Amino acid sequence: MFDKDRFVDDRSLSLSIKNKGLNYGLGCIEGIRAFWNKEQKQLFVFRLDDHFKRFHGSGKSLYIPIPYSIDQLSEITRQLLLINQVTQDVYIRPLCFKGANTLRPDLNDPLNHLAIYLDLTEYEPKPSINVCVSSWTRVGSNMIPPQTKSTAGYLNSGLAINEAMLNGYDGALFLTREGNVSEGATNNLFIVRGYEVVTPPVSDDILPGITRNTVAQIVYRELGLSMREQSITRVELYEADEVFLTGTAIGIKPVVEIDRRMIGNGKIGPITQKIQKAYDQIVRGEMSSYISYYTSVY
Ligand code: PMP
């Protein structure tokens, strides 16, 4: 379906410094992961269709229509993984951006470039993190819509991450303009209170995360509990029994300290631990009841 010569070494690419997507952040992205299963010698891409559906949604809302169908994008991704003979966990980044080299930051030009690249960096993640509530507010849904993965929106995340790091925290949480808890700089947020698992609704200026949705399935199917979407106040954060963040890159990440206040007993909580264990098995293709979530590469 696609010419082999469309798969190129990224060092051979060039882009005009006049490119409008680059100058104004007029683009949208996705973040997908594939997981290597050693026993089955198989690479499983996790919820590929759902990621590309969200990609198309972002493109539609932002006037950056993605120039390929969901099926075509899935096939390009599979070919990219095959050509690179990937046999390890890998992060996949689709990017679509405005192609014109004109000054006006309008979104009318029909030329939208698509690129998909791989990031094979392996890092040793911390088992749990301490975070702060950022002095930066989450961009509102009527500003740069956080329900889309717009490239411009990541400046909001970047400011919060930098401030947090400069102040000695591992990450940052955003509040909305109304003061409700929104989400992490690049992750969704959950709190656990007794047997209640609560997460902010999409209307509290969050990205509807695919990991967040997977957690809803785990909470219901594996723990026999239900996930509640409900606005969360800052104090409810501090007083929660457990807090965790979710995202494609980090999976399920326990938060044990917020604004120098210990969460629960300062250790990874039992419900977080159960969700984390189920999630790690699901993404690696070890739970057959979630078969519809996988795309096998080999
Ligand atoms: N919120 C933001 C702002 C993000 O950048 C991400 C990462 N894509 C998430 C939430 C988590 O979304 P997902 O679980 O789909 O990776």
Side-chain angles (χ1 to χ4, degrees), residues 54 138 149 154 183 185-188 207 209-211 246-248:
R54 187 171 68 185
R138 189 72 180 126
K149 271 182 88 72
Y154 281 92
E183 61 178 342
T186 58
N187 315 104
N188 290 120
L207 178 76
I210 288 167
T211 319
T246 67
T248 297

Side-chain angles (χ1 to χ4, degrees), residues 134 136 155-169 172 185:
S134 183
W136 296 96
L155 184 55
N156 187 218
S157 304
L159 289 166
I161 291 170
N162 250 55
E163 178 190 55
M165 286 172 62
L166 289 170
N167 290 326
Y169 298 97

Side-chain angles (χ1 to χ4, degrees), residues 258-285:
I258 303 175
D259 290 342
R260 305 289 178 219
R261 291 160 176 87
M262 189 191 278
I263 301 304
N265 63 3
K267 305 230 162 63
I268 302 172
I271 291 187
T272 306
Q273 223 161 16
K274 281 188 191 144
I275 294 170
Q276 200 174 29
K277 190 163 169 241
Y279 181 79
D280 290 344
Q281 286 175 340
I282 291 169
V283 292
R284 220 163 278 284

Side-chain angles (χ1 to χ4, degrees), residues 57-82:
S58 294
K60 183 178 180 184
S61 293
L62 300 170
Y63 294 110
I64 309 169
I66 315 296
Y68 295 92
S69 71
I70 292 174
D71 283 349
Q72 287 173 322
L73 291 166
S74 301
E75 188 50 28
I76 295 169
T77 304
R78 220 175 68 80
Q79 290 299 328
L80 181 66
L81 293 162
L82 275 171

